[in-house]
Amino acid sequence: MPLSAVLAADDPAAPPEAPVSLDEAARHAEDAAGWVEQNWSTWLNTSLRIALILVVALVLRMLVRRALTKLIARMNRSAQAVEGTALGGLLVNAERRRQRSEAIGSVLRSVASFVILGTAGLMILGAFKIDLAPLLASAGVAGVAIGFGARNLVTDFLSGVFMIMEDQYGVGDSVDAGVASGEVIEVGLRVTKLRGDDGEIWYVRNGEIKRIGNLSQGWATGTVDVAVRPSEDLERVRSVIGEVAEEIAKSEPWNEQLWGPVEILGLTEVLLDSMTIRISAKTMPGKALGVERELRWRIKQAFDAAGIRIVGGLPQAVDEASADPSAGVAPPSALASPTSPQSLAAAPIPQGPNLAK
Protein backbone atom coordinates (compact mmCIF):
# COMPACT_ATOMS: atom_id res chain seq x y z
CA MET A 1 0.00 0.00 0.00
CA PRO A 2 1.45 3.40 -0.93
CA LEU A 3 2.70 5.71 1.82
CA SER A 4 0.41 8.52 0.70
CA ALA A 5 -2.58 6.23 1.10
CA VAL A 6 -1.49 5.29 4.61
CA LEU A 7 -1.09 8.96 5.56
CA ALA A 8 -4.42 9.80 4.06
CA ALA A 9 -6.05 7.01 6.03
CA ASP A 10 -4.52 8.28 9.24
CA ASP A 11 -5.61 11.88 8.59
CA PRO A 12 -9.41 11.99 8.14
CA ALA A 13 -9.31 15.73 7.25
CA ALA A 14 -7.09 15.18 4.18
CA PRO A 15 -8.91 15.29 0.83
CA PRO A 16 -9.14 12.00 -1.03
CA GLU A 17 -6.46 11.56 -3.71
CA ALA A 18 -7.69 11.34 -7.23
CA PRO A 19 -6.87 8.03 -8.88
CA VAL A 20 -4.40 8.13 -11.82
CA SER A 21 -5.89 6.95 -15.03
CA LEU A 22 -4.24 4.45 -17.29
CA ASP A 23 -3.98 6.90 -20.17
CA GLU A 24 -2.26 9.50 -17.97
CA ALA A 25 0.28 6.94 -16.72
CA ALA A 26 0.96 5.84 -20.29
CA ARG A 27 1.49 9.48 -21.31
CA HIS A 28 4.00 10.05 -18.47
CA ALA A 29 5.86 6.88 -19.43
CA GLU A 30 6.00 7.99 -23.09
CA ASP A 31 7.35 11.42 -22.05
CA ALA A 32 10.04 9.84 -19.87
CA ALA A 33 11.03 7.43 -22.62
CA GLY A 34 11.18 10.26 -25.16
CA TRP A 35 13.34 12.36 -22.83
CA VAL A 36 15.70 9.45 -22.28
CA GLU A 37 15.77 8.70 -26.01
CA GLN A 38 16.47 12.37 -26.73
CA ASN A 39 19.35 12.74 -24.21
CA TRP A 40 20.94 9.29 -24.17
CA SER A 41 23.36 10.22 -26.95
CA THR A 42 24.48 13.30 -24.97
CA TRP A 43 24.96 11.20 -21.85
CA LEU A 44 26.88 8.58 -23.76
CA ASN A 45 29.07 11.22 -25.41
CA THR A 46 29.80 12.93 -22.07
CA SER A 47 30.53 9.63 -20.36
CA LEU A 48 32.89 8.58 -23.12
CA ARG A 49 34.68 11.94 -22.99
CA ILE A 50 35.08 11.73 -19.21
CA ALA A 51 36.33 8.14 -19.44
CA LEU A 52 38.76 9.08 -22.21
CA ILE A 53 40.05 12.06 -20.21
CA LEU A 54 40.59 9.91 -17.13
CA VAL A 55 42.34 7.15 -19.10
CA VAL A 56 44.64 9.59 -20.90
CA ALA A 57 45.42 11.44 -17.66
CA LEU A 58 46.24 8.26 -15.75
CA VAL A 59 48.35 6.85 -18.58
CA LEU A 60 50.20 10.13 -19.03
CA ARG A 61 50.79 10.38 -15.28
CA MET A 62 52.15 6.84 -15.20
CA LEU A 63 54.49 7.50 -18.15
CA VAL A 64 55.79 10.75 -16.68
CA ARG A 65 56.40 9.22 -13.25
CA ARG A 66 58.15 6.23 -14.85
CA ALA A 67 60.35 8.55 -16.92
CA LEU A 68 61.28 10.55 -13.82
CA THR A 69 62.07 7.35 -11.92
CA LYS A 70 64.37 6.16 -14.73
CA LEU A 71 66.07 9.57 -14.80
CA ILE A 72 66.72 9.43 -11.05
CA ALA A 73 68.03 5.86 -11.36
CA ARG A 74 70.40 6.95 -14.13
CA MET A 75 71.68 9.80 -11.97
CA ASN A 76 72.31 7.34 -9.12
CA ARG A 77 74.18 4.95 -11.44
CA SER A 78 76.41 7.77 -12.65
CA ALA A 79 77.12 8.72 -9.03
CA GLN A 80 78.03 5.11 -8.19
CA ALA A 81 80.31 4.92 -11.24
CA VAL A 82 82.56 7.75 -9.99
CA GLU A 83 82.42 6.65 -6.36
CA GLY A 84 85.87 5.63 -5.14
CA THR A 85 87.71 7.40 -7.96
CA ALA A 86 89.70 10.62 -7.77
CA LEU A 87 86.82 12.55 -9.32
CA GLY A 88 84.41 11.03 -6.83
CA GLY A 89 86.64 12.01 -3.94
CA LEU A 90 87.08 15.56 -5.16
CA LEU A 91 83.73 16.56 -6.55
CA VAL A 92 81.02 13.98 -5.87
CA ASN A 93 79.53 12.55 -2.72
CA ALA A 94 77.55 9.56 -4.00
CA GLU A 95 75.27 9.17 -0.98
CA ARG A 96 74.54 12.89 -0.83
CA ARG A 97 73.87 12.97 -4.56
CA ARG A 98 71.53 9.98 -4.25
CA GLN A 99 69.54 11.68 -1.48
CA ARG A 100 69.36 14.91 -3.46
CA SER A 101 68.21 13.10 -6.61
CA GLU A 102 65.54 11.22 -4.67
CA ALA A 103 64.27 14.46 -3.14
CA ILE A 104 64.18 16.17 -6.52
CA GLY A 105 62.44 13.14 -8.06
CA SER A 106 59.77 13.16 -5.37
CA VAL A 107 59.10 16.87 -5.90
CA LEU A 108 58.94 16.49 -9.68
CA ARG A 109 56.61 13.50 -9.47
CA SER A 110 54.27 15.40 -7.15
CA VAL A 111 54.28 18.44 -9.41
CA ALA A 112 53.63 16.30 -12.49
CA SER A 113 50.72 14.51 -10.80
CA PHE A 114 49.21 17.80 -9.65
CA VAL A 115 49.45 19.39 -13.11
CA ILE A 116 48.11 16.35 -15.01
CA LEU A 117 45.24 15.56 -12.64
CA GLY A 118 44.35 19.23 -12.23
CA THR A 119 44.14 19.67 -15.99
CA ALA A 120 42.03 16.52 -16.26
CA GLY A 121 39.66 17.83 -13.58
CA LEU A 122 39.18 21.11 -15.46
CA MET A 123 38.49 19.20 -18.69
CA ILE A 124 35.91 17.05 -16.91
CA LEU A 125 34.16 20.17 -15.60
CA GLY A 126 34.17 21.49 -19.15
CA ALA A 127 32.57 18.26 -20.35
CA PHE A 128 29.67 18.92 -17.96
CA LYS A 129 29.12 22.31 -19.67
CA ILE A 130 30.32 24.21 -16.61
CA ASP A 131 31.58 27.69 -17.40
CA LEU A 132 35.23 27.79 -16.31
CA ALA A 133 35.83 31.46 -17.11
CA PRO A 134 34.75 32.78 -13.66
CA LEU A 135 36.75 30.06 -11.93
CA LEU A 136 39.89 30.78 -13.95
CA ALA A 137 39.45 34.53 -13.50
CA SER A 138 39.09 34.11 -9.75
CA ALA A 139 42.16 31.88 -9.66
CA GLY A 140 44.12 34.46 -11.66
CA VAL A 141 43.14 37.30 -9.35
CA ALA A 142 43.96 35.20 -6.29
CA GLY A 143 47.33 34.29 -7.80
CA VAL A 144 48.19 37.93 -8.48
CA ALA A 145 47.17 38.92 -4.93
CA ILE A 146 49.21 36.11 -3.41
CA GLY A 147 52.15 36.99 -5.65
CA PHE A 148 52.14 40.62 -4.48
CA GLY A 149 51.53 39.80 -0.84
CA ALA A 150 53.99 36.92 -0.52
CA ARG A 151 56.63 37.80 -3.10
CA ASN A 152 59.44 37.35 -0.57
CA LEU A 153 58.10 33.92 0.34
CA VAL A 154 57.89 32.96 -3.34
CA THR A 155 61.44 34.23 -3.92
CA ASP A 156 62.75 32.24 -0.96
CA PHE A 157 60.94 29.10 -2.11
CA LEU A 158 62.15 29.31 -5.71
CA SER A 159 65.71 30.02 -4.56
CA GLY A 160 65.57 27.00 -2.27
CA VAL A 161 64.30 24.77 -5.08
CA PHE A 162 67.09 25.81 -7.46
CA MET A 163 69.66 25.54 -4.65
CA ILE A 164 68.67 21.93 -4.00
CA MET A 165 68.53 21.05 -7.70
CA GLU A 166 71.99 22.54 -8.35
CA ASP A 167 73.46 21.07 -5.14
CA GLN A 168 75.10 24.34 -4.17
CA TYR A 169 75.65 23.16 -0.57
CA GLY A 170 74.41 20.56 1.89
CA VAL A 171 74.35 19.68 5.56
CA GLY A 172 77.87 19.63 6.99
CA ASP A 173 79.39 22.01 4.42
CA SER A 174 81.28 25.11 5.51
CA VAL A 175 79.94 28.00 3.48
CA ASP A 176 80.24 31.77 3.20
CA ALA A 177 76.81 33.14 2.31
CA GLY A 178 77.78 36.81 2.39
CA VAL A 179 75.34 37.77 5.15
CA ALA A 180 76.66 34.95 7.37
CA SER A 181 79.20 32.15 7.31
CA GLY A 182 79.57 28.86 9.13
CA GLU A 183 78.64 25.18 8.95
CA VAL A 184 75.31 24.20 7.38
CA ILE A 185 73.16 22.35 9.92
CA GLU A 186 69.81 22.41 8.09
CA VAL A 187 68.71 23.10 4.52
CA GLY A 188 65.10 24.06 3.80
CA LEU A 189 63.16 25.41 0.85
CA ARG A 190 62.78 28.77 2.59
CA VAL A 191 65.50 29.09 5.26
CA THR A 192 69.04 27.76 5.63
CA LYS A 193 70.49 27.35 9.15
CA LEU A 194 74.20 27.97 9.72
CA ARG A 195 76.29 27.51 12.86
CA GLY A 196 78.94 30.19 13.19
CA ASP A 197 82.48 29.87 14.49
CA ASP A 198 81.41 31.03 17.97
CA GLY A 199 78.49 28.59 18.17
CA GLU A 200 75.74 31.01 17.13
CA ILE A 201 73.01 29.85 14.75
CA TRP A 202 72.19 31.99 11.71
CA TYR A 203 68.81 31.75 9.99
CA VAL A 204 69.38 32.91 6.43
CA ARG A 205 66.52 33.27 3.97
CA ASN A 206 67.34 31.64 0.66
CA GLY A 207 66.16 34.68 -1.26
CA GLU A 208 68.72 36.89 0.53
CA ILE A 209 71.71 34.77 -0.57
CA LYS A 210 73.17 36.60 -3.55
CA ARG A 211 76.39 34.58 -3.71
CA ILE A 212 77.62 31.47 -1.94
CA GLY A 213 81.13 30.21 -1.32
CA ASN A 214 81.34 26.51 -0.47
CA LEU A 215 84.53 25.69 1.40
CA SER A 216 83.80 21.94 1.58
CA GLN A 217 83.63 21.03 -2.11
CA GLY A 218 86.58 20.19 -4.31
CA TRP A 219 89.81 21.02 -2.50
CA ALA A 220 91.45 23.79 -0.49
CA THR A 221 94.79 25.54 -0.99
CA GLY A 222 97.19 26.25 1.85
CA THR A 223 99.61 29.13 1.26
CA VAL A 224 102.63 30.01 3.41
CA ASP A 225 104.85 33.08 2.90
CA VAL A 226 108.36 33.00 4.39
CA ALA A 227 110.39 36.23 4.56
CA VAL A 228 114.19 35.87 4.82
CA ARG A 229 117.13 38.24 4.48
CA PRO A 230 118.10 39.19 0.92
CA SER A 231 121.64 37.96 1.54
CA GLU A 232 120.53 34.32 1.96
CA ASP A 233 121.38 31.75 -0.70
CA LEU A 234 118.17 31.02 -2.60
CA GLU A 235 119.24 27.53 -3.65
CA ARG A 236 120.00 26.63 -0.05
CA VAL A 237 116.66 28.01 1.10
CA ARG A 238 114.88 26.01 -1.64
CA SER A 239 116.71 22.84 -0.60
CA VAL A 240 115.73 23.23 3.08
CA ILE A 241 112.06 23.90 2.22
CA GLY A 242 112.07 20.92 -0.16
CA GLU A 243 113.27 18.62 2.62
CA VAL A 244 110.47 19.91 4.87
CA ALA A 245 107.92 19.29 2.09
CA GLU A 246 109.09 15.68 1.61
CA GLU A 247 109.04 15.06 5.35
CA ILE A 248 105.51 16.36 5.90
CA ALA A 249 104.21 14.42 2.88
CA LYS A 250 105.35 11.14 4.49
CA SER A 251 104.19 11.76 8.07
CA GLU A 252 100.79 11.05 9.61
CA PRO A 253 98.14 12.48 9.40
CA TRP A 254 99.38 15.08 6.94
CA ASN A 255 99.86 12.57 4.13
CA GLU A 256 96.08 12.05 4.05
CA GLN A 257 95.25 15.74 4.25
CA LEU A 258 97.65 16.66 1.45
CA TRP A 259 96.18 15.98 -1.99
CA GLY A 260 99.30 16.94 -3.88
CA PRO A 261 102.98 17.74 -3.43
CA VAL A 262 104.00 20.88 -1.56
CA GLU A 263 105.13 23.35 -4.23
CA ILE A 264 107.67 26.16 -3.90
CA LEU A 265 106.19 28.85 -6.12
CA GLY A 266 109.18 31.18 -5.87
CA LEU A 267 109.77 34.79 -4.89
CA THR A 268 106.71 36.97 -4.52
CA GLU A 269 108.45 40.09 -3.15
CA VAL A 270 112.04 41.41 -3.07
CA LEU A 271 112.83 44.42 -0.88
CA LEU A 272 115.98 46.03 0.45
CA ASP A 273 115.73 44.28 3.82
CA SER A 274 113.80 41.09 2.96
CA MET A 275 112.61 38.72 0.28
CA THR A 276 109.45 36.62 0.46
CA ILE A 277 109.19 32.99 -0.71
CA ARG A 278 105.72 31.47 -1.25
CA ILE A 279 104.88 27.81 -0.61
CA SER A 280 101.57 26.26 -1.73
CA ALA A 281 99.87 22.93 -0.99
CA LYS A 282 96.58 21.40 -2.18
CA THR A 283 94.68 19.94 0.78
CA MET A 284 91.40 18.36 1.75
CA PRO A 285 88.47 20.78 2.12
CA GLY A 286 88.64 22.60 5.42
CA LYS A 287 92.18 21.38 6.26
CA ALA A 288 94.19 24.26 4.77
CA LEU A 289 94.69 26.15 8.03
CA GLY A 290 96.06 23.10 9.86
CA VAL A 291 98.48 22.32 7.04
CA GLU A 292 99.65 25.95 6.94
CA ARG A 293 100.38 25.95 10.69
CA GLU A 294 102.32 22.68 10.46
CA LEU A 295 104.34 23.95 7.50
CA ARG A 296 105.30 27.14 9.36
CA TRP A 297 106.31 25.09 12.41
CA ARG A 298 108.52 22.71 10.44
CA ILE A 299 110.06 25.43 8.25
CA LYS A 300 110.99 27.48 11.32
CA GLN A 301 112.67 24.48 12.94
CA ALA A 302 114.53 23.62 9.72
CA PHE A 303 115.70 27.22 9.22
CA ASP A 304 116.97 27.39 12.81
CA ALA A 305 118.91 24.15 12.29
CA ALA A 306 120.35 25.40 9.00
CA GLY A 307 121.26 28.86 10.33
CA ILE A 308 118.84 30.71 8.03
CA ARG A 309 117.43 33.78 9.70
CA ILE A 310 113.81 34.81 9.18
CA VAL A 311 113.13 38.53 8.96
CA GLY A 312 111.53 39.80 12.15
CA GLY A 313 113.68 37.82 14.59
CA LEU A 314 116.22 39.11 17.12
CA PRO A 315 118.75 41.67 15.81
CA GLN A 316 122.22 40.45 15.01
CA ALA A 317 124.91 40.77 17.71
CA VAL A 318 127.59 43.37 16.92
CA ASP A 319 131.24 42.62 17.67
CA GLU A 320 132.44 45.43 19.95
CA ALA A 321 136.11 44.88 19.07
CA SER A 322 135.50 45.53 15.39
CA ALA A 323 133.12 48.41 15.96
CA ASP A 324 134.23 51.90 14.84
CA PRO A 325 134.87 54.07 17.97
CA SER A 326 134.08 57.26 16.04
CA ALA A 327 130.66 55.99 14.99
CA GLY A 328 129.01 57.45 18.10
CA VAL A 329 130.81 60.86 17.93
CA ALA A 330 128.73 63.72 16.57
CA PRO A 331 130.27 65.75 13.72
CA PRO A 332 131.64 69.25 14.59
CA SER A 333 129.30 72.20 14.19
CA ALA A 334 130.27 75.49 12.51
CA LEU A 335 128.20 77.41 15.08
CA ALA A 336 130.42 76.20 17.93
CA SER A 337 133.09 78.88 17.13
CA PRO A 338 131.93 82.48 17.86
CA THR A 339 134.31 83.86 15.21
CA SER A 340 133.14 81.63 12.38
CA PRO A 341 131.24 83.28 9.51
CA GLN A 342 128.15 81.18 10.36
CA SER A 343 128.14 82.44 13.99
CA LEU A 344 128.66 86.08 12.90
CA ALA A 345 125.83 85.78 10.39
CA ALA A 346 123.52 84.35 13.06
CA ALA A 347 124.40 87.02 15.68
CA PRO A 348 121.73 89.70 16.38
CA ILE A 349 122.16 93.18 14.83
CA PRO A 350 123.28 95.77 17.46
CA GLN A 351 120.99 98.78 17.98
CA GLY A 352 122.28 102.25 16.91
CA PRO A 353 122.24 105.39 19.15
CA ASN A 354 119.30 106.99 17.25
CA LEU A 355 117.12 103.97 17.71
CA ALA A 356 117.27 104.25 21.51
CA LYS A 357 115.58 107.71 21.43
Side-chain angles (χ1 to χ4, degrees), residues 18-67:
V20 179
S21 63
L22 184 60
D23 295 337
E24 186 177 357
R27 187 176 64 254
H28 286 304
E30 291 177 358
D31 292 341
W35 182 78
V36 171
E37 183 180 1
Q38 183 181 0
N39 295 287
W40 78 269
S41 59
T42 303
W43 295 346
L44 181 61
N45 186 20
T46 303
S47 302
L48 292 177
R49 287 183 60 186
I50 293 175
L52 181 61
I53 291 172
L54 290 176
V55 170
V56 172
L58 293 177
V59 171
L60 182 60
R61 177 176 176 269
M62 181 185 64
L63 294 177
V64 172
R65 290 174 65 90
R66 182 174 298 179

Side-chain angles (χ1 to χ4, degrees), residues 18 46 54 71 73 75 81 92 96 107 171 208 219 231 277 293 295 351:
T46 303
L54 290 176
L71 178 61
M75 293 174 60
V92 178
R96 173 174 160 181
V107 172
V171 176
E208 292 182 349
W219 59 82
S231 59
I277 303 171
R293 297 188 184 101
L295 277 175
Q351 297 182 359

Side-chain angles (χ1 to χ4, degrees), residues 79-104:
Q80 294 174 0
V82 298
E83 186 177 7
T85 62
L87 180 61
L90 293 177
L91 299 178
V92 178
N93 186 330
E95 180 62 21
R96 173 174 160 181
R97 184 170 181 177
R98 185 192 64 81
Q99 294 178 358
R100 181 176 63 91
S101 60
E102 291 294 341
I104 295 174

Side-chain angles (χ1 to χ4, degrees), residues 67-89:
L68 292 174
T69 302
K70 290 183 177 180
L71 178 61
I72 298 303
R74 182 178 301 178
M75 293 174 60
N76 292 334
R77 286 196 300 269
S78 63
Q80 294 174 0
V82 298
E83 186 177 7
T85 62
L87 180 61

Side-chain angles (χ1 to χ4, degrees), residues 10-237:
D10 294 340
D11 188 6
E17 187 180 23
V20 179
S21 63
L22 184 60
D23 295 337
E24 186 177 357
R27 187 176 64 254
H28 286 304
E30 291 177 358
D31 292 341
W35 182 78
V36 171
E37 183 180 1
Q38 183 181 0
N39 295 287
W40 78 269
S41 59
T42 303
W43 295 346
L44 181 61
N45 186 20
T46 303
S47 302
L48 292 177
R49 287 183 60 186
I50 293 175
L52 181 61
I53 291 172
L54 290 176
V55 170
V56 172
L58 293 177
V59 171
L60 182 60
R61 177 176 176 269
M62 181 185 64
L63 294 177
V64 172
R65 290 174 65 90
R66 182 174 298 179
L68 292 174
T69 302
K70 290 183 177 180
L71 178 61
I72 298 303
R74 182 178 301 178
M75 293 174 60
N76 292 334
R77 286 196 300 269
S78 63
Q80 294 174 0
V82 298
E83 186 177 7
T85 62
L87 180 61
L90 293 177
L91 299 178
V92 178
N93 186 330
E95 180 62 21
R96 173 174 160 181
R97 184 170 181 177
R98 185 192 64 81
Q99 294 178 358
R100 181 176 63 91
S101 60
E102 291 294 341
I104 295 174
S106 177
V107 172
L108 291 179
R109 284 191 290 266
S110 299
V111 171
S113 299
F114 175 77
V115 172
I116 294 173
L117 296 181
T119 304
L122 293 177
M123 295 178 66
I124 290 174
L125 292 178
F128 282 112
K129 305 301 182 181
I130 298 176
D131 190 8
L132 300 178
L135 180 62
L136 296 178
S138 301
V141 173
V144 171
I146 294 175
F148 277 107
R151 57 184 181 274
N152 291 332
L153 181 62
V154 175
T155 302
D156 297 339
F157 179 81
L158 293 178
S159 300
V161 170
F162 283 105
M163 180 271 299
I164 293 177
M165 293 182 63
E166 297 171 0
D167 193 22
Q168 297 177 3
Y169 53 86
V171 176
D173 290 351
S174 296
V175 300
D176 181 3
V179 294
S181 60
E183 181 182 353
V184 180
I185 60 176
E186 184 178 341
V187 178
L189 292 178
R190 191 183 69 87
V191 175
T192 297
K193 294 172 63 175
L194 305 176
R195 184 175 296 278
D197 297 334
D198 297 331
E200 69 276 10
I201 296 180
W202 298 96
Y203 295 85
V204 183
R205 289 172 39 211
N206 294 329
E208 292 182 349
I209 302 177
K210 304 302 180 183
R211 53 93 175 167
I212 190 75
N214 196 324
L215 307 179
S216 300
Q217 288 183 351
W219 59 82
T221 302
T223 304
V224 176
D225 291 335
V226 180
V228 298
R229 295 179 302 180
S231 59
E232 298 289 349
D233 185 3
L234 288 177
E235 292 300 329
R236 186 162 174 264
V237 172

